[in-house]
Amino acid sequence: MNADLSALQARLGHTFRDPALLATALTHSSRLNEPGPAADSNQRLEFLGDAVLSLILAEALFHAFPHEREGGLSQRRAMLTRGGFLARLAREINLGAALSLGVSEEQTGGRDRESNLEDAFEALIGALYLDAGPETARRVVLTLYGPLADRLASVTAADNPKGRLQELVQPEHGNHALHYESIHIGGQDHAREYEARVFLHQRELGAGRGPSKKIAEEAAARAALAKPVAELTG
């Protein structure tokens, strides 16, 4: 087993009894088109992991928010299982480094593509469930998430970076001081890449990239928000 897989298991706090399950969870469908041995793709495990993750979080939210009604609990669970958030969790455990990808997918940034990370994270949870049962899957999931109230607060804050940036600069500079510039910088039709920059008047605050103008602009806003507030409001 290579170093990336060993490191991933250490971060999970679980060593797979069936390494083939782990290999399958990390195999993107593009890998099956390449020469050499490969596990099945992770699509079936992703299906299972989605259901396992949903159940674990539903139970945890049920107990964490005893006075919340069904609609509110469903909304909270949706926030914690959204693709971008699952990709964020995947990045926290460096899941991308352990993915098995086809050559083209590797060359077009597949290790950090949100859809790949989201799918692999769900597949990983499905593999954990099959390898060690529901209690181990539950322990690992809740350890990765940490306190759910804190995670929900961070999701809410991160959900609208452009809006948060506007709120910071508006009192000092007005409603129209921010503007974004986006350009298409490359990528194939199925994997386009954009770069965006956000400006306060003529001063650049941040830059970001993504597979669409919207995501690139949000990345630029997040980059700006990472700076000291004085730089944004001065």
Side-chain angles (χ1 to χ4, degrees):
M1 185 168 292
N2 67 39
D4 290 324
L5 296 183
S6 297
L8 176 61
Q9 290 180 98
R11 288 188 288 271
L12 295 175
H14 174 73
T15 300
F16 275 74
R17 292 177 292 187
D18 183 358
L21 275 172
L22 177 59
T24 301
L26 299 173
T27 301
H28 186 266
S29 58
S30 64
R31 177 64 180 85
L32 304 186
N33 300 321
E34 305 293 334
D40 291 334
S41 81
N42 59 15
Q43 292 174 333
R44 282 171 51 84
L45 282 174
E46 175 198 344
F47 165 78
L48 176 61
D50 175 67
V52 172
L53 187 61
S54 182
L55 177 59
I56 290 170
L57 291 174
E59 180 189 12
L61 290 166
F62 180 86
H63 292 298
F65 299 94
H67 304 297
E68 184 67 84
R69 299 179 67 84
E70 176 189 3
L73 291 172
S74 295
Q75 184 178 30
R76 293 174 193 270
R77 181 177 61 183
M79 293 169 67
L80 294 174
T81 55
R82 196 170 294 162
F85 184 73
L86 295 185
R88 173 178 160 186
L89 290 176
R91 290 187 179 102
E92 288 180 5
I93 58 173
N94 199 23
L95 185 57
L99 295 181
S100 178
L101 305 172
V103 173
S104 177
E105 189 67 20
E106 177 86 58
Q107 292 175 343
T108 56
R111 283 195 188 279
D112 197 48
R113 185 165 292 133
E114 289 209 344
S115 59
N116 292 348
L117 292 174
E118 172 195 356
D119 293 349
F121 186 85
E122 290 179 332
L124 182 62
I125 301 308
L128 274 166
Y129 178 85
L130 293 178
D131 190 68
E135 286 307 311
T136 294
R138 181 178 183 275
R139 174 184 60 79
V140 172
V141 165
L142 296 182
T143 298
L144 294 179
Y145 272 82
L148 294 184
D150 292 346
R151 282 293 192 183
L152 286 163
S154 72
V155 172
T156 302
D159 216 27
N160 184 17
K162 293 176 68 175
R164 287 189 295 130
L165 184 59
Q166 178 69 27
E167 289 173 2
L168 279 175
V169 304
Q170 189 273 334
E172 185 71 24
H173 297 280
N175 291 326
H176 305 293
L178 288 176
H179 69 277
Y180 292 82
E181 295 181 2
S182 301
I183 58 170
H184 175 220
I185 60 172
Q188 301 176 8
D189 289 343
H190 69 282
R192 294 189 181 278
E193 187 173 22
Y194 291 81
E195 180 175 272
R197 298 177 186 275
V198 58
F199 294 85
L200 176 61
H201 300 301
Q202 302 305 314
R203 178 162 59 93
E204 182 179 324
L205 296 181
R209 294 188 177 192
S212 70
K213 288 175 63 176
K214 178 178 182 292
I215 294 175
E217 288 178 359
E218 289 176 345
R222 288 191 183 94
L225 289 165
K227 295 181 177 179
V229 173
E231 289 189 29
L232 307 179
T233 58

